[in-house]
Amino acid sequence: MELGVNGLNAKATLGPAETVRMARLAEELGYRSWWAGEHVVLPSPRTPDAPMEPTDPILDPLVHLAYVAAVTERLELGTGIVILPQRNPLVLAKQAASLDVLSGGRLLLGVAAGYLEPEMTAVGVPYAERGRRTDEYIDAMRALWNEPAPSYQGRYVSFAHVDAHPRPMGPGGPRIVVGGHSPAAFRRAVARGHGWLGNGAGPADLAAHLDGLRRAAAEVERPGWLGPLEISFMQMSPVDADNARRYADLGTDRLIVYPLPLEDPAAVAAHLEQHAALPH
């Protein structure tokens, strides 16, 4: 089980000096992946389902990860997650390929359908279409990355007689990690993702999500070229050694720590140091 860290593109850890310090510290401590989430806008005033205050700063994950790529050598760079239906898939495919090339193939493209209706409405995406758009956008990006003469015809995106280079470093494009806990998200992860990314309060939540993934695997076909589904999970509170062992026993590939509340860089550094010693 590998260790990762998420969330440091926000609040007190988003500045250039703090980013360099934390990214290099994580790499030195043996963390294998660094994740960055996104919200383009947030409801103001804050709504009960919003994860942050509207005044909490958060950097665009792809811009942030490009900066982290330049100051690290080994960390995998994950978007955790990009709200895919809010993005133009061809523009995102170009951005992802660019970051993948500049990082030497270290990108993990985490995507999900999103859940904040005010945010989606503000960027002009009908909330009810978010799931169908997510599926279509994944397929369209892969067509652009992989086909000798890329083309795609869908309800929300269509293109032909175009091409885009450079292509991503690895065959098939960046590994896509699908986030979310709904039955549709589980089916999407099984059918279209190299991996799945979830979060919760502890191993019991992960066990429940794994049940959902097993049900999805009985409902949709997984292409063989995707390989085994990688499981990444983020506990929303500090992780102790017993829970770390339980995550490993459940088959977790990546345990991702989240050094909340992200108000003090020194406390975040201490969190990273403490969790680096977890059994994994």
Side-chain angles (χ1 to χ4, degrees):
M1 183 173 70
E2 299 177 358
L3 292 178
V5 59
N6 189 26
L8 304 191
N9 63 319
K11 300 177 77 171
T13 53
L14 60 71
E18 292 78 11
T19 299
V20 172
R21 177 189 171 200
M22 297 301 166
R24 288 178 173 166
L25 176 63
E27 195 164 65
E28 291 167 5
L29 289 171
Y31 286 83
R32 293 292 302 278
S33 56
W34 175 286
W35 300 77
E38 86 162 339
H39 284 288
V40 177
V41 294
L42 287 156
S44 182
R46 184 177 183 175
T47 55
D49 55 348
M52 304 171 67
E53 295 291 341
T55 52
D56 286 338
I58 179 170
L59 298 176
D60 176 273
L62 294 165
V63 174
H64 168 81
L65 291 174
Y67 193 92
V68 173
V71 300
T72 58
E73 297 178 354
R74 299 178 302 278
L75 282 174
E76 290 185 310
L77 309 167
T79 55
I81 48 72
V82 162
I83 306 169
L84 186 52
Q86 298 181 173
R87 299 272 184 155
N88 179 294
L90 273 70
V91 175
L92 180 59
K94 169 63 79 172
Q95 293 171 321
S98 300
L99 178 52
D100 195 58
V101 168
L102 286 174
S103 67
R106 289 188 277 154
L107 178 62
L108 299 169
L109 186 61
V111 301
Y115 66 92
L116 278 180
E117 185 277 330
E119 179 179 19
M120 209 156 291
T121 298
V123 299
V125 176
Y127 187 70
E129 297 178 356
R130 68 194 188 281
R132 293 189 295 272
R133 284 179 181 267
T134 299
D135 291 339
E136 198 168 292
Y137 288 6
I138 291 172
D139 296 344
M141 289 192 297
R142 282 198 167 126
L144 191 62
W145 289 329
N146 294 298
E147 293 181 5
S151 66
Y152 184 84
Q153 299 298 319
R155 179 176 179 182
Y156 303 107
V157 55
S158 298
F159 59 86
H161 309 297
V162 295
D163 210 339
H165 290 263
R167 298 292 174 87
M169 296 288 288
R175 283 176 290 167
I176 289 181
V177 181
V178 175
H181 308 133
S182 69
F186 294 144
R187 291 191 296 270
R188 184 173 300 120
V190 170
R192 289 180 166 85
H194 290 91
W196 169 81
L197 172 64
N199 63 66
D205 285 346
L206 175 58
H209 299 325
L210 293 176
D211 286 341
L213 287 166
R214 281 188 283 268
R215 288 191 294 270
E219 297 171 4
V220 297
E221 182 178 356
R222 180 168 180 79
W225 61 268
L226 284 173
L229 184 69
E230 297 176 351
I231 302 299
S232 302
F233 188 77
M234 180 174 66
Q235 184 168 306
M236 304 298 289
S237 60
V239 183
D240 60 27
D242 287 342
N243 275 359
R245 293 187 188 96
R246 291 176 65 193
Y247 285 125
D249 290 343
L250 286 167
T252 306
D253 295 290
R254 296 184 190 87
L255 174 60
I256 301 171
V257 303
Y258 195 9
L260 292 173
L262 302 176
E263 301 289 356
D264 177 11
V268 171
H271 189 109
L272 292 177
E273 291 168 353
Q274 175 187 355
H275 285 72
L278 287 172
H280 60 280

